[in-house]
Amino acid sequence: MTFENSAEQYKPSEVHQPSTVALLPSNSDYQNFFKSNQQPGTEPSVIDFGNSNIYGNHKKLLASDVQMPMPWEIEPGLNRAVTETIVEPLAKAVGDKINQDRAEKDLQKIPDAAWSKAYSEFPQLKEAGLTEKQAITLMKAIVLNELEHLNLIDVAQDTAAGFGYAQAERTIGFTQLSPNAVKERESEFPQQLGTLKKQEVQSLENPKKAPELVAATLVHYIKQFSKYGYPINEETLGYAYNPDLYTKSGHKDIMPTMERLQNSEHASNIRRWLSTFPD
């Protein structure tokens, strides 16, 4: 049995999207992202990003569409609190991604007890053959990889979420899951995650909640793998958390052949992080 095209059997909402998402919305959801405060009959002013391509095609933005200070509006004289919460986090992101040392330091914000609690809350991890040490190591490797590959756009997304501008489909926090993804896992695992209802963004921004969110996501894929007889191990689960291979029809390939899996950059990253933990 081949699994190359098996991802086509899933709904798009079941596929965890990668963390490399744009801060600004697409043309289709642009008007829903900002709330207009332009007065009738006035000529809108325009913020021009010039030659910068950090925001893709959205180089110009109607200034009247912005109700609150956003990263591109920062200028001398604004409240220091805004600078501390927007400018400095962006400036601390080195280059295109966070380095490995910083990812490991950030991981320490998650207490050891939270990892063990997540393992005990989801017995499916043990039933799938993962010992507590294996499961916790895998969950840590996933979070470390997400932290390591945070870029300026991701940091800006987290900052915007802190101001109440989190979009349901955008990934944020240590786990780089979206509020929509958390809602889906709530429905799937009400006993473990039911208390997070209407607190999805807060849970994503709370490092202590990361283990149970990752555990729920892994168990979601364990159930899918079991259904199709697909191998369940650290590599396949780590890859499925953020799949980067595609089927011939363009869908995310959740269950690629073992041969194809070797071509996954994400799987390679997970293997590298797993190798940093002692046996």
Side-chain angles (χ1 to χ4, degrees):
M1 182 176 182
T2 179
F3 298 92
E4 182 175 348
N5 298 319
S6 58
E8 296 177 23
Q9 302 181 46
Y10 300 126
K11 299 178 182 178
S13 62
E14 293 182 306
V15 179
H16 167 57
Q17 298 299 320
S19 61
T20 52
V21 296
L23 170 65
L24 291 183
S26 62
N27 290 332
S28 61
D29 62 1
Y30 176 99
Q31 295 300 328
N32 292 325
F33 186 78
F34 297 107
K35 295 181 180 179
S36 177
N37 60 8
Q38 179 184 347
Q39 298 299 317
T42 61
E43 188 70 21
S45 58
V46 173
I47 300 174
D48 192 342
F49 296 105
N51 295 324
S52 171
N53 62 1
I54 189 172
Y55 299 115
N57 295 326
H58 300 282
K59 292 182 179 180
K60 292 187 177 182
L61 177 70
L62 292 182
S64 58
D65 283 338
V66 183
Q67 283 188 326
M68 58 168 281
M70 296 297 278
W72 53 85
E73 289 186 291
I74 299 301
E75 59 185 33
L78 286 182
N79 188 290
R80 178 63 187 170
V82 176
T83 302
E84 291 176 345
T85 55
I86 296 180
V87 178
E88 293 180 356
L90 289 174
K92 289 179 181 178
V94 181
D96 291 332
K97 63 181 182 181
I98 309 300
N99 60 41
Q100 179 173 327
D101 289 342
R102 197 172 150 202
E104 292 175 333
K105 183 177 180 180
D106 282 345
L107 188 73
Q108 296 175 10
K109 297 177 181 178
I110 303 175
D112 291 339
W115 299 106
S116 296
K117 181 174 181 289
Y119 182 77
S120 63
E121 286 182 342
F122 291 90
Q124 298 92 332
L125 293 168
K126 183 177 181 179
E127 293 168 3
L130 295 174
T131 65
E132 181 173 353
K133 182 178 180 180
Q134 287 175 320
I136 290 177
T137 299
L138 174 58
M139 290 189 287
K140 286 183 176 180
I142 288 172
V143 172
L144 282 166
N145 188 59
E146 295 299 329
L147 289 173
E148 181 186 25
H149 289 85
L150 289 177
N151 55 34
L152 291 174
I153 299 300
D154 296 320
V155 175
Q157 277 294 140
D158 285 346
T159 302
F163 277 104
Y165 274 67
Q167 289 182 282
E169 73 279 8
R170 305 295 189 187
T171 59
I172 56 177
F174 274 40
T175 62
Q176 282 298 291
L177 293 170
S178 68
N180 274 348
V182 175
K183 287 182 180 180
E184 290 175 4
R185 299 294 80 78
E186 287 171 21
S187 298
E188 191 173 0
F189 307 106
Q191 183 176 351
Q192 295 93 333
L193 302 181
T195 57
L196 303 183
K197 191 173 183 180
K198 295 184 180 180
Q199 300 292 321
E200 291 80 13
V201 174
Q202 291 88 334
S203 66
L204 285 167
E205 292 182 318
N206 183 356
K208 295 179 181 179
K209 293 293 184 181
E212 62 182 325
L213 295 177
V214 175
T217 304
L218 293 181
V219 172
H220 167 77
Y221 286 114
I222 285 174
K223 292 165 63 177
Q224 298 296 334
F225 289 0
S226 298
K227 181 178 180 180
Y228 293 100
Y230 189 70
I232 299 174
N233 54 53
E234 293 99 316
E235 184 175 15
T236 57
L237 289 171
Y239 162 78
Y241 188 88
N242 196 347
D244 57 357
L245 298 177
Y246 293 83
T247 64
K248 293 179 180 179
S249 59
H251 292 94
K252 289 278 189 177
D253 195 350
I254 305 300
M255 296 184 285
T257 63
M258 295 301 101
E259 182 179 1
R260 288 199 73 221
L261 190 60
Q262 304 311 306
N263 297 323
S264 164
E265 180 180 353
H266 181 73
S268 177
N269 290 334
I270 294 297
R271 285 194 295 269
R272 174 173 56 81
W273 275 113
L274 288 172
S275 69
T276 65
F277 291 88
D279 294 332

